[in-house]
Amino acid sequence: MDDLQWFKPRKYLHFDRPLGEKSALNYVSSPEKVASHSFYPFISYTSEVIKYRLDNDRGVFTKNSKPRPISYSAHLDSHIYAYYCSLLSKKYEEELVRKGLHTSILAFRSIDSKSNINFAHDAFNEIKNRGECCVLAFDVEKFFDRLDHSMLKKAWEKLLCVDRLPSDHFAVFKAITRSAKVNKIDLYKKLGISIHNPRVRGARLCTPKQFRDDVRKGGLLSVNPELFGIPQGSPISAFISNLYMLEFDLKLLSKLSLTESVFFRYCDDLLIICDLEHEDDIHEFVKKEIATLKLNLQHKKTEIRHFNFDKNGQLKSDKAVHYLGFSFDGQREHIRSSSMTRYYKKLGKRIRVSKKAMDRCNELRAGRGELPKELFLRTIYRGYSYLGRRNFISYGFRAAKIMQSKSIKKQLKPHWKKLNKLISDSI
């Protein structure tokens, strides 16, 4: 492989040191080395994701905390995963084009620099162009945790057109399915390293001997005991999700082509647009085929929306359909209201944390006889207002431009006034 697009320098601490491009390429491009490679365990931790959902009965947003397990692999292991992801992705892309799936599968692919904004806009435009139609939105429950290893292996072999995985591919497959992991907090405690201010020698968490004595023999390792599930966070995990769904995608495309229906799939988020009379048949088909993958649909998140023309000839839906962080009611595209609520909650928390930090700083300054400092606003403005380049608000204005949506601009317009009011109220 001539290009090094798969190579990504990583600076985090792990059981081995970071590698340069040349060293990484020399190793990962050798099937013999990969076949005999000893993978380090993943380091894992749990991230709490706050989600807000509208309670229609009470007309308020409810707050839910959702734990999200995150795992990250050692440096050389990551390069192996990334390299093999690149090898497999090339074959996968060829398969998508050959089977006519390249416009339906959206996640974890390089599609002309398109983003979720473009994908959602394309889906909503399809609804507009169809007029009267039914939209079915599905979400798969605990997707990565439920991927069946034997089915994944068969899909991997089929993509490579082999009856049995080559030894190097099997080593990668085994490492990602029978994955070992160690809890980050327990690990750092065992090694005597501060979780917030880690200081280590040699740009690694420990020596190989310490790993054997303190980590492996110390009982910190756990290996996936199940015949299903892969860790989230490795460079190949996202690709595996697409590979696992390939046969389903092919069956769904064949089914929908009979009724001139279309679908868009972004990882475990599936959106189908069909004529109203085909709703029940397609719904049952999806439930049946998802079950054959040994997966379950989150029925609470399933959305079925009917779009019809009103007496004024305007396209309307019984309820707005949600997709990739946006909503569409037949006339207007919006940012999901729950996303706006989450933004303001995060903004308020950020201001409160900054205020507390500044108060502590000023207490110390007062003790030294120095004048107090004002709240440092540049970071807040950069992270939470239109003045920043890569934040929620700038993303929203980019969506408004791409979608040519006045309603999104209207949603975002009050943010500056509200931001400054929150700042003034905290002083």
Side-chain angles (χ1 to χ4, degrees), residues 24-60:
L25 179 60
N26 287 339
Y27 196 97
V28 303
S29 59
S30 169
E32 294 79 14
K33 290 180 180 178
V34 173
S36 60
H37 179 72
S38 296
F39 288 81
Y40 275 114
F42 288 84
I43 295 177
S44 65
Y45 64 95
T46 300
S47 173
E48 292 292 328
V49 179
I50 305 299
K51 297 217 170 188
Y52 295 90
R53 296 197 178 279
L54 180 63
D55 185 329
N56 291 314
D57 295 331
R58 294 185 295 161
V60 297

Side-chain angles (χ1 to χ4, degrees), residues 167-215:
S167 55
D168 56 327
H169 281 266
F170 182 72
V172 178
F173 166 80
K174 186 177 179 181
I176 202 68
T177 53
R178 298 288 293 167
S179 56
K181 65 180 180 180
V182 59
N183 180 270
K184 183 176 181 178
I185 294 177
D186 295 339
L187 173 65
Y188 276 51
K189 183 178 180 180
K190 182 73 172 181
L191 297 177
I193 298 173
S194 169
I195 197 80
H196 301 295
N197 186 29
R199 297 179 182 274
V200 299
R201 292 182 179 180
R204 64 194 307 173
L205 287 172
C206 62
T207 65
K209 185 178 185 306
Q210 284 179 300
F211 173 78
R212 292 191 296 270
D213 295 343
D214 296 337
V215 181

Side-chain angles (χ1 to χ4, degrees), residues 7 16 52 65 87 92 111 134 143 171 251 268 270 295 329 341 359 363 375 391 404 419 426:
F7 181 84
D16 62 348
Y52 295 90
S65 178
L87 291 177
Y92 176 77
I111 311 177
C134 175
F143 184 59
K251 290 180 182 178
D268 56 348
L270 175 64
L295 298 173
D329 62 7
T341 300
D359 288 343
E363 286 179 8
L375 186 64
N391 60 39
Q404 297 182 339
L419 184 155
S426 70

Side-chain angles (χ1 to χ4, degrees), residues 130 132-134 259-261 273-279 282:
R130 281 179 174 259
E132 292 191 350
C133 64
C134 175
T259 58
E260 297 184 351
S261 305
I273 305 170
C274 64
D275 290 342
L276 295 168
E277 62 265 28
H278 301 304
E279 173 194 329
I282 291 174

